[in-house]
Amino acid sequence: MSLSFKQQLIAEQIRVIEEIQGAEPQPVVSSSGLNFSSWLVARNQELVRRTPIQSAIQFAPVIFRRLLIAVSVLLVLIGAVTSIKALGNAGTQLNIFWVLGVLLGLSWLSLVLWLATLLLNRDHAGVVAPLFGKVLGRLLPERQQPTPKQAAGRVWLQRLFLSTSGFLRLGWITHWLWSAYLLGGLLGLLLLFATRQFDFVWQSTLLGGDSFVQITQTLTPQLAALGVPVPDAQQILASSIDQTPANAAETRRVWALFLLGCVLLYGLLPRILIGVICAVGEWRLQSRQTLDLNQPYFIRLQREFWPQGSHGKILDADDRPPQMRQTLVSPRPPPADCLWLGLELPREFTLPAGMETDFINVRDDASQRQALAVIQHNKRPVAVLIDGHKAADRGLQRIVIDLASASGPRNLWLVLQPLPAEAKYQSWLQAAARAGLTPEQVTSL
Amino acid sequence: MSNSPPLPLILAVVGHTNTGKTSLLRTLLRNADFGEVRDSAGTTRHVEAAQLLLRGKPYIELRDTPGLEDSIALAGHLKSTGLRGRSCLEHFIGQAQPDVAREFEQEIKVLRQALECHAMLYVIDCREDVLEKYREEIAALSLASRPILPVLNFIQADSRQLQNWRTALAELGLHALVEFDTVAFDFDAEKRLYQKLQTLLETWYQPLQQLLDYRAEEWQQVRNACIAQVAALLVEMATYTQPPGQGEQRAKQLESLQNTVRQREQHCLRNVLELLNFSSANVQLTNLPVQNGEWELDLFAPETLKKFGLDTASAAATGAALGAGVDLLLAGLSLGAASLTGAALGTAWHTSRRYGKDLLARARGEKILCVDDTTVNVLLLRQLSLLRHLFRRGHAALGPVQLNEKEKAEIPSGWREQLTRARSLLQLKVGVDSREYKNALTDMKQWLASVL
Ligand SMILES: Nc1nc2c(ncn2[C@@H]2O[C@H](COP(=O)(O)OP(=O)(O)OP(=O)(O)O)[C@@H](O)[C@H]2O)c(=O)[nH]1
Ligand SMILES: [Mg+2]
C-alpha cells in the first residue's frame, strides 16, 4: 500500500514535530500483520488521537480555511456593493453593453492573463504562483528552532503551495475568489432589478444597430438553450437610446434576464468550471507525489517496525569464567648456551639478529615429538621462540607443558618476539604458570 | 525435498580462537555491540545467538561459539571413541570423563552447535600458516556431516597466505569458500557469502535469495540516505547567507556564521552515523578530523585547510577584511538576475569570482556574508572521505580508520560545476522551497553518488 497524499502530508508533519520533540519512546501501535506503510498510517492516526500533535497539524489548514471563508464572504459583499453602486447611480437608463463590460470585462481580462502566464511559462508554473509562494514563504519562514506548530505549518505550506501541484491550488483559489466576487455582483443585480425599474439602452457613435444585434445574438443561443428568454433583433434595435420600444415592459424584462444570464453563464460558470479543473488537476498531481522514505526519521521508524536483527541471546552459558590474575614481573634473559626451539613460527618470521636458522619449529605433532627427543638428548636449557602476535590458547599451553616436563620447568624460557600487548602477554604468563615456570621465564630479547 | 525449508536457517560460526568469529557476527548483524571482541585467546566463552530478520521474520540465526583451542588433543580423544561421524561426536559429548569434559569444555560447546546447526561458517585467520591443528579442527567439525563454508578473514592484512589456504582447503574437500574481511566491509563480499551458502544449502536457496535482495535494497537505501544528508549539507552551506554588519557586529556575525557551519556539519555527521548503525563512541577516526562524533579539528583552522591540501592564500587575499572562511558576495541583482539564467550566469559567476564580485559588491554598496569556496571545499573533502570510510567499515572494526594519504587533496572533477550551480541560487535569490534549489540538490546527490 502506498500512502495517499493526505497521509503523506500528515506523516511529514509528524516527522518534523517528532524531530523537534523527540519520537514517542513506546511503540505506538503493534506491527503484527501490517506492512510498513499501513503501520505508519496507523501509528500516525494513533498519535493524532492520543497526543497534542493534532493542534500543531491543524494549525495552518485551519487558519487557511478560516481565511478563505472570510475573504470569500468579503468578496461576495464587495461584489454586491460594487454592482449596486455602479448601477444604482446611473439613473433609470442603463447602458446594456457598458454594464456587461463592467461586470465581465475585468474577470475575462484576468482569466486571459492567468491562462497566458500558465501557457507561456509552463516550467515556472505561472508568474503569480512563485511570487505568491515567496510571500507565503515569508509568512512561515524556515527557522533555526521552530515550534512544532511552525514546523508543521511549513510542511503544509510546502506540500500544498510550493510543490509541483502548488500552482493549481493557487489557480482554484483565484477562481474561487473570483466566483465569490461575481456571485456578489449577480446578487446585487438581482436585488436591483427586483426593486427598481431600468430602461435598458445602448448607444454608440461609431457602431450601427447591426453590430449590436450581432453581438447580442452571438451571446444568446447558449442562454436560450438554458431556457432564458432572450431579446430578438427587433427588441435590440428598439433599445437604441433614441428609440422607444413598443412593448417596453417586456423588453425590460428580457434585457434584465439577458444581463443576469450573461453574468452567470459567461462570468460565474467559467470560473467555477476552471476552478474545478484546477482542483482536479491539483488532486491528480498530488496523488503522484511520494514520501521521501530515505530521510533518517523514516529509516529509524522502519527499523523500529522491522528490526534488522535480534539482540544476542545466550544459548550455552559459561559457568566457570577464568580467573584473570595480573602478574607484575621483571623478566630474566635466557642463558647464553641454550637450545633454541620455535613454536608455530610463521614462515616470514624475522629472527632476532645473529640467530641460527636450523632450530626445530614446533608446528605439529611430528615436530613436537622431534623437539622432545632433542631436549631429552641434549640436557641443555631450552629457549622457545614465540611470535608475540599470538595469544596462548590451550593447544599452545599443552605444548609448553610437554616441553617443560621434558626439560624440567627451571630449564625452559619462553621468548616472545616482539613483546606482545598486555592481554597476550598475560595469556603466556598463564601458560607458563600451568607448566610450572616462574613469570621471570617469560621474556623477550 | 520440502518446499518450505525450516526458518531460521541456523549457522554456527566456528573456528580457532581469535580468528574473528564474534567480529563476523558483528559485521553481518550491523551491530557493533554484539558479544565481546578482544585481541586475545578465549574471549568468547559461551554460545550466543542472534537472528537476521527480514520484514520482522527470522531468516538466519547466527550462533557465535567459543574458539577451538586444542584440536590436536581433541582429535586423540575423538579417535579413542572408535566411532565415526555424528555418533562419534555425540558419544564424546555425552560420555566424556569429567576431567576430559572439563578440559574440553569450550570445544564441547562448539561440537554441540556443529551437531545442531544446518551449516557452519568456519572462520580462518589467513595470516596464519596452514597448520596441522587447523586441519584437525576441520576434521573434527566435519564429523557433524554438515556443510562447512570457510570464511577467510584478515584478507586485508596479508594476502600471501590466501593461496596456501585455498589449496589446503581444497585438499580437505572444501571447494566453496569466501573471502570476507570483517573489518574492511564490502557489500559485494557479503553478497558472495550468501551466494556461496545458496550453493551449499540448496533447500534454502529461495529464502537466502530473498534475504540477499532485501539486504541489497536496504544497503542501497542507507547509502542514498547518507548521500542525501551530505548533499543537503553542501548545498545548504554553499547558499547560506547573512546580511552584512559593520564593525563589532561584523565580528559577531562571522562567529555565528562559523558556528552555523560547524553545527550543521555535526548534525549531518550524527545522521550519517545513525543511518549506518555506528555510534559516535565506536567511530574514532583519528587521522580524519572526527573524534568521538565531533570533528576533531576546527573546520576554519588553517591546519585543516592545509591537511586537505588547500591553499589559504587566495582566501586570505579577498577575505582579509573578514578573516579566512568568509567571503563577500554581491546581492540585490534579484530581478535582473532572474532573467539571466544558465550559462550566462555561470560564466559571469566564474569571471566575477573573488575579486570581480567583491569589487562589484563594493561598488553597489550591497554585501552579504556567505561561506567561502575554500570552506565548502574542505567540507566536501571531509564528507567524502568520511562516507568512503564508513561505507567500507565493518561493525567489527575497533581501531581508528586510516585515511588514505593519497586521496586527501583530490577534489573530484565536476565539483566546480556543482558549486557554481549552488552558488547561482544565491544570485537568483531563491529560497529552499524553490524549484531551482530542489533541482540543485538533486543534481548534487547524483554527482556525489557518482564520485563515491
Ligand atoms: N585487522 C583485522 N582485525 C580483525 C579482523 N577480524 C577480527 N579482527 C580482530 O581480531 C581480534 C579477535 O577478534 P574476535 O572477533 O574477538 O575473535 P573470536 O574468533 O571471536 O575470538 P574468541 O572469541 O576469543 O575465540 C580482535 O582484536 C579483532 O578486532 C579483520 O578482518 N581484520
Ligand atoms: Mg569471540
Side-chain angles (χ1 to χ4, degrees):
Chain A
M1 184 193 99
S2 63
L3 268 60
S4 72
F5 177 76
K6 197 156 174 233
Q7 289 166 337
Q8 290 178 21
L9 177 63
I10 291 180
E12 278 284 310
Q13 287 183 308
I14 293 187
R15 172 180 72 81
V16 291
I17 294 172
E18 289 204 304
E19 277 176 353
I20 295 168
Q21 297 179 339
E24 273 298 301
Q26 304 301 324
V28 181
V29 284
S30 118
S31 60
S32 64
L34 297 175
N35 63 21
F36 178 64
S37 314
S38 34
W39 175 78
L40 186 64
V41 171
R43 179 181 187 275
N44 288 343
Q45 277 170 353
E46 188 61 20
L47 280 179
V48 168
R49 204 175 60 76
R50 222 201 290 161
T51 62
I53 276 182
Q54 170 88 18
S55 68
I57 289 179
Q58 285 299 322
F59 170 65
V62 161
I63 288 186
F64 169 74
R65 216 173 299 136
R66 285 189 193 152
L67 213 64
L68 193 63
I69 292 172
V71 174
S72 308
V73 170
L74 199 68
L75 281 172
V76 170
L77 289 178
I78 290 176
V81 169
T82 327
S83 67
I84 290 172
K85 277 246 165 190
L87 304 193
N89 296 341
T92 55
Q93 282 204 332
L94 267 190
N95 186 330
I96 305 153
F97 293 98
W98 177 248
V99 170
L100 266 189
V102 167
L103 285 175
L104 295 183
L106 199 59
S107 168
W108 272 95
L109 192 68
S110 86
L111 197 63
V112 168
L113 271 177
W114 179 79
L115 276 172
T117 57
L118 204 65
L119 294 177
L120 291 179
N121 208 349
R122 285 178 75 179
D123 251 13
H124 296 84
V127 171
V128 185
L131 279 179
F132 199 67
K134 250 187 189 173
V135 174
L136 286 174
R138 288 273 155 77
L139 290 179
L140 275 169
E142 187 161 29
R143 287 167 207 270
Q144 289 268 304
Q145 271 150 346
T147 63
K149 255 186 202 159
Q150 287 165 341
R154 238 191 98 69
V155 166
W156 179 85
L157 191 74
Q158 283 173 324
R159 279 250 154 182
L160 286 175
F161 286 89
L162 307 175
S163 65
T164 47
S165 63
F167 76 101
L168 286 173
R169 168 161 277 250
L170 285 170
W172 74 248
I173 291 175
T174 321
H175 299 306
W176 167 264
L177 294 179
W178 267 106
S179 304
Y181 177 75
L182 289 170
L183 184 69
L186 201 61
L187 291 176
L189 274 190
L190 211 56
L191 198 68
L192 269 183
F193 290 164
T195 55
R196 281 178 57 179
Q197 180 175 327
F198 291 97
D199 288 325
F200 294 95
V201 298
W202 55 264
Q203 55 189 340
S204 169
T205 317
L206 285 179
L207 300 174
D210 290 353
S211 320
F212 286 98
V213 173
Q214 226 171 13
I215 295 175
T216 315
Q217 280 178 346
T218 50
L219 295 173
T220 44
Q222 290 81 2
L223 287 177
L226 288 178
V228 180
V230 292
D232 52 34
Q234 232 174 357
Q235 284 172 319
I236 300 169
L237 287 174
S239 300
S240 173
I241 188 145
D242 42 8
Q243 305 207 358
T244 334
N247 190 349
E250 175 58 16
T251 311
R252 268 198 293 272
R253 204 180 68 85
V254 169
W255 275 121
L257 286 176
F258 170 76
L259 272 181
L260 289 174
C262 277
V263 173
L264 185 73
L265 194 65
Y266 299 112
L268 197 56
L269 279 185
R271 283 288 178 182
I272 292 179
L273 197 70
I274 299 179
V276 169
I277 292 175
C278 283
V280 171
E282 183 196 20
W283 175 76
R284 300 234 345 223
L285 282 187
Q286 280 179 344
S287 65
R288 255 184 255 162
Q289 291 196 22
T290 50
L291 193 62
D292 179 10
L293 290 176
N294 276 359
Q295 297 175 89
Y297 168 86
F298 289 117
I299 291 188
R300 211 177 297 140
L301 278 186
Q302 231 164 331
R303 287 179 187 166
E304 184 190 317
F305 176 64
W306 284 324
Q308 295 166 298
S310 66
H311 289 291
K313 195 177 88 199
I314 293 174
L315 300 181
D316 202 343
D318 178 30
D319 341 302
R320 288 184 297 130
Q323 304 296 309
M324 278 298 188
R325 262 177 294 113
Q326 294 272 327
T327 335
L328 283 175
V329 280
S330 45
R332 265 191 302 139
D337 63 331
C338 62
L339 171 76
W340 283 91
L341 294 175
L343 181 55
E344 285 189 5
L345 291 181
R347 282 183 217 284
E348 293 89 15
F349 188 76
T350 29
L351 293 177
M355 216 180 117
E356 306 285 336
T357 53
D358 59 347
F359 58 84
I360 299 168
N361 186 13
V362 179
R363 298 162 52 89
D364 47 28
D365 228 17
S367 52
Q368 183 184 344
R369 256 177 276 131
Q370 204 186 342
L372 291 176
V374 172
I375 291 172
Q376 265 146 9
H377 180 74
N378 266 300
K379 301 277 178 228
R380 271 199 287 161
V382 179
V384 185
L385 190 58
I386 297 168
D387 181 3
H389 297 108
K390 273 197 180 176
D393 56 36
R394 279 197 333 282
L396 293 170
Q397 273 182 18
R398 182 177 47 77
I399 298 176
V400 172
I401 293 170
D402 290 351
L403 294 178
S405 60
S407 67
R410 292 288 150 264
N411 279 332
L412 190 74
W413 273 263
L414 303 182
V415 183
L416 299 172
Q417 207 61 16
L419 192 68
E422 189 56 28
K424 283 181 186 167
Y425 186 53
Q426 291 296 334
S427 76
W428 285 108
L429 286 177
Q430 258 163 17
R434 279 193 72 181
L437 313 188
T438 61
E440 288 81 21
Q441 283 166 282
V442 181
T443 178
S444 173
L445 287 180
Chain B
M1 203 197 284
S2 85
N3 284 337
S4 50
L7 288 177
L9 168 68
I10 297 176
L11 296 177
V13 179
V14 296
H16 195 77
T17 185
N18 212 30
T19 50
K21 298 176 292 299
T22 310
S23 299
L24 178 66
L25 266 96
R26 283 190 174 182
T27 298
L28 291 179
L29 293 165
R30 313 268 188 276
N31 178 359
D33 297 326
F34 180 88
E36 194 185 341
V37 167
R38 222 175 333 118
D39 191 8
S40 82
T43 309
T44 307
R45 295 179 53 84
H46 54 232
V47 176
E48 188 172 354
Q51 294 174 330
L52 284 174
L53 308 173
L54 191 160
R55 306 212 164 89
K57 209 174 143 200
Y59 264 58
I60 290 186
E61 179 166 316
L62 293 164
R63 294 191 176 170
D64 188 20
T65 61
L68 295 166
E69 297 192 32
D70 195 358
S71 58
I72 294 188
L74 178 69
H77 288 286
L78 289 177
K79 208 170 282 166
S80 71
T81 61
L83 295 165
R84 284 167 55 189
R86 292 174 72 86
S87 49
C88 167
L89 294 184
E90 278 156 7
H91 184 269
F92 176 70
I93 292 170
Q95 317 288 321
Q97 299 296 312
D99 59 327
V100 176
R102 171 170 299 183
E103 176 70 15
F104 294 99
E105 193 186 3
Q106 306 305 327
E107 278 81 359
I108 286 175
K109 286 178 190 164
V110 182
L111 295 176
R112 211 177 277 139
Q113 292 310 318
L115 288 170
E116 272 180 33
C117 69
H118 294 121
M120 283 171 264
L121 299 179
Y122 178 74
V123 183
I124 293 166
D125 174 353
C126 65
R127 297 169 303 182
E128 289 279 300
D129 289 335
V130 190
L131 299 171
E132 186 193 24
K133 61 180 180 186
Y134 299 122
R135 295 176 197 273
E136 292 294 354
E137 283 172 9
I138 295 174
L141 293 168
S142 306
L143 292 174
S145 322
R146 292 281 178 261
I148 298 178
L149 179 64
V151 178
L152 298 172
N153 193 14
F154 288 94
I155 49 171
Q156 294 284 315
D158 189 353
S159 55
R160 275 168 296 180
Q161 290 283 55
L162 224 61
Q163 200 46 47
N164 292 344
W165 273 104
R166 283 180 173 282
T167 320
L169 289 168
E171 278 165 16
L172 290 164
L174 300 175
H175 296 279
L177 51 85
V178 279
E179 295 171 20
F180 185 90
D181 200 287
T182 59
V183 167
F185 174 73
D186 177 8
F187 188 77
D188 287 328
E190 181 169 308
K191 209 158 127 185
R192 281 195 292 277
L193 189 144
Y194 289 118
Q195 284 165 344
K196 287 281 161 59
L197 281 174
Q198 280 180 318
T199 60
L200 287 179
L201 299 159
E202 256 184 280
T203 333
W204 277 274
Y205 189 92
Q206 214 38 48
L208 281 168
Q209 188 61 41
Q210 285 166 357
L211 186 70
L212 184 53
D213 293 343
Y214 176 68
R215 300 215 98 187
E217 203 179 295
E218 190 184 38
W219 176 238
Q220 200 53 45
Q221 186 193 21
V222 167
R223 263 181 73 106
N224 288 343
C226 290
I227 290 172
Q229 288 294 312
V230 171
L233 168 75
L234 291 172
V235 176
E236 221 172 279
M237 291 300 96
T239 55
Y240 181 76
T241 58
Q242 280 189 348
Q246 297 296 322
E248 214 172 285
Q249 203 192 349
R250 175 180 280 187
K252 230 181 255 162
Q253 274 179 338
L254 223 126
E255 205 183 301
S256 107
L257 181 86
Q258 297 186 342
N259 280 338
T260 308
V261 179
R262 292 199 188 106
Q263 279 166 10
R264 189 58 190 77
E265 195 186 29
Q266 282 302 319
H267 177 72
C268 175
L269 175 67
R270 267 198 306 278
N271 278 338
V272 166
L273 288 178
E274 191 198 333
L275 283 168
L276 291 166
N277 264 345
F278 290 113
S279 77
S280 49
N282 58 33
V283 174
Q284 295 190 335
L285 310 173
T286 52
N287 212 353
L288 210 104
V290 183
Q291 190 77 57
N292 256 336
E294 299 279 320
W295 290 114
E296 185 191 31
L297 289 179
D298 189 329
L299 184 56
F300 295 97
E303 306 90 90
T304 318
L305 302 176
K306 241 183 270 156
K307 185 176 182 111
F308 285 92
L310 293 171
D311 125 68
T312 53
S314 62
T318 35
L322 296 170
V326 177
D327 205 347
L328 287 172
L329 255 190
L330 81 158
L333 278 175
S334 61
L335 281 178
S339 54
L340 277 180
T341 44
L345 192 90
T347 33
W349 178 259
H350 256 292
T351 46
S352 68
R353 265 184 67 233
R354 297 241 176 269
Y355 305 101
K357 66 178 186 255
D358 196 6
L359 288 175
L360 240 169
R362 252 173 234 175
R364 299 178 60 91
E366 272 186 275
K367 292 166 185 175
I368 47 174
L369 276 180
C370 74
V371 182
D372 84 340
D373 283 6
T374 320
T375 308
V376 186
N377 289 351
V378 176
L379 215 50
L380 168 79
L381 289 176
R382 280 155 64 114
Q383 295 300 324
L384 277 182
S385 54
L386 178 78
L387 287 189
R388 284 202 183 109
H389 284 111
L390 289 183
F391 284 169
R392 294 197 47 96
R393 183 182 170 87
H395 287 79
L398 299 174
V401 178
Q402 296 299 321
L403 181 61
N404 185 356
E405 296 296 314
K406 273 186 226 122
E407 73 182 15
K408 65 181 178 185
E410 293 228 346
I411 294 185
S413 67
W415 168 242
R416 234 327 102 203
E417 288 73 39
Q418 291 301 323
L419 185 59
T420 310
R421 175 89 186 270
R423 294 291 208 188
S424 72
L425 299 173
L426 275 178
Q427 294 282 62
L428 289 169
K429 277 196 137 180
V430 290
V432 285
D433 300 318
S434 69
R435 193 175 293 239
E436 291 85 352
Y437 192 97
K438 284 174 195 156
N439 288 344
L441 193 59
T442 315
D443 263 21
M444 183 71 86
K445 271 185 233 172
Q446 277 166 3
W447 179 79
L448 280 174
S450 73
V451 299
L452 273 167

